[in-house]
Amino acid sequence: MFTIDTGSRERSYPNVSDTNKTMPNKDRRDAALNNLQRSIKSRDRKAKVAPLGVIFATLAVLVVFVGGIWYATTYTPDADDTDTTAQDAPEMENAALPSGPLQPYGDTISCEYTTSGDASKEVEPPANGEVATSGTVRIELATNKGSIPLELDRGTSPCTVNSFEHLADSKYFNDTICHRQVKSEDMGILQCGDPTGTGTGGPGYSFADEFPSNGVEADQAQNPLTYPRGTLAMANSGPNTNGSQFFLVINDTTLPPSYNVFGTITEDGLKTLDKIQEKDPNGEKPAEEIKIEKATVES
């Protein structure tokens, strides 16, 4: 094999571009003719091949286009093609408490307290008649576990607030125990207000249901609602049997709209209740005695 020595002016042969320098005239003419013929034949071949390339390219485009139309109009997804990551719709959460009674209260409302059984602790029922439907009342429950301040709202359940304030003023709740504690996934409450500590006692009178039962339609009367953490509500033994027993909602609790909501527990009160709830109850009985030493109306 010949190489080029970059250090010399002389070249090594054969070099294609230099072959004509040593040929006779006739040979040069024959070589030139042969080169011309080869060039013409090459151009003829290219001219023939080019149209075929265009035709083949056009056919390829048509095949893809027609195939796409056929696929789009005939494809039916199999069951296995469905999205396996789709999840079932989440279950509906319990409804929140309604915003207020279906029929708004006037400036006052008439309350009636009906004699019902024997009082577990001597107390007179509140006077029947008109009570205010606006304003708040603050009551502190001083317990052996700490203070539980409450804020009662006359605008939600005015007859309930009137009764509770009356019982606190009458010292009915003093030296009574909270007999029931529930700690479960959908309920967290502490129930108090029975001087007997058995869950069967009461003040010897009863009164009607108020909010939220008056805030839902009749066909929704048993639909569960969420009583949110910090709610203050009355316990009962059926429709219109409210008396003195009440419960404090420590964690969101699911119940039908059958329990009069009449106020809230302050943040300080919830801190006390959280400490109580740290200990698991024995069934539904508090692990340790929880006593209301004194209930004081502050305003």
Side-chain angles (χ1 to χ4, degrees):
M1 180 177 180
F2 296 97
T3 62
I4 298 174
D5 184 358
T6 59
S8 172
R9 293 183 181 179
E10 296 181 358
R11 294 184 179 177
S12 300
Y13 292 96
N15 189 312
V16 175
S17 61
D18 292 338
T19 55
N20 290 338
K21 292 181 180 179
T22 60
M23 289 183 180
N25 290 337
K26 182 178 182 301
D27 292 340
R28 286 199 296 271
R29 286 195 299 271
D30 291 342
L33 180 61
N34 290 334
N35 287 337
L36 177 60
Q37 290 174 340
R38 285 196 297 270
S39 177
I40 292 171
K41 290 179 180 179
S42 177
R43 287 197 297 269
D44 288 344
R45 284 196 300 271
K46 290 180 180 178
K48 292 177 181 178
V49 170
L52 289 175
V54 172
I55 292 171
F56 287 137
T58 303
L59 287 174
V61 171
L62 288 173
V63 168
V64 172
F65 181 75
V66 173
I69 294 175
W70 175 85
Y71 183 85
T73 57
T74 61
Y75 174 70
T76 301
D78 295 330
D80 292 341
D81 293 332
T82 57
D83 182 9
T84 57
T85 63
Q87 301 294 321
D88 292 335
E91 294 183 3
M92 293 293 290
E93 294 183 357
N94 294 324
L97 290 173
S99 58
L102 293 176
Q103 297 295 326
Y105 301 132
D107 292 337
T108 63
I109 192 170
S110 180
C111 299
E112 183 176 354
Y113 303 98
T114 305
T115 301
S116 176
D118 296 328
S120 300
K121 186 176 182 179
E122 187 176 351
V123 66
E124 293 294 325
N128 294 332
E130 298 293 314
V131 300
T133 58
S134 63
T136 59
V137 178
R138 288 183 61 87
I139 293 179
E140 181 193 9
L141 302 180
T143 79
N144 61 331
K145 300 296 182 181
S147 175
I148 305 176
L150 310 174
E151 186 168 285
L152 282 54
D153 181 9
R154 292 191 178 99
T156 54
S157 296
C159 295
T160 305
V161 171
N162 187 59
S163 171
F164 197 89
E165 182 181 10
H166 169 77
L167 292 173
D169 265 337
S170 302
K171 300 179 174 53
Y172 182 85
F173 297 123
N174 293 2
D175 297 317
T176 61
I177 66 169
C178 296
H179 62 277
R180 184 179 181 221
Q181 179 187 0
V182 180
K183 183 179 179 181
S184 67
E185 183 178 348
D186 56 2
M187 180 178 288
I189 67 166
L190 181 67
Q191 187 168 328
C192 315
D194 173 13
T196 70
T198 63
T200 61
Y205 67 86
S206 61
F207 55 95
D209 295 337
E210 294 185 285
F211 179 83
S213 61
N214 61 10
V216 298
E217 300 290 351
D219 60 353
Q220 299 176 354
Q222 294 304 314
N223 291 354
L225 301 178
T226 296
Y227 287 63
R229 169 177 164 85
T231 298
L232 175 64
M234 293 299 294
N236 62 52
S237 57
N240 305 313
T241 59
N242 303 285
S244 61
Q245 292 189 44
F246 62 96
F247 61 93
L248 307 153
V249 179
I250 306 169
N251 300 109
D252 289 0
T253 293
T254 302
L255 291 168
S258 308
Y259 304 92
N260 291 2
V261 171
F262 64 103
T264 56
I265 308 159
T266 69
E267 286 300 320
D268 287 341
L270 286 171
K271 289 178 182 178
T272 299
L273 290 169
D274 286 339
K275 291 179 182 178
I276 292 171
Q277 198 75 332
E278 287 176 359
K279 294 190 176 182
D280 293 335
N282 297 321
E284 292 189 351
K285 182 178 180 180
E288 298 178 349
E289 182 179 83
I290 303 165
K291 178 181 284 189
I292 299 174
E293 297 172 341
K294 186 178 182 180
T296 304
V297 179
E298 297 182 345
S299 61

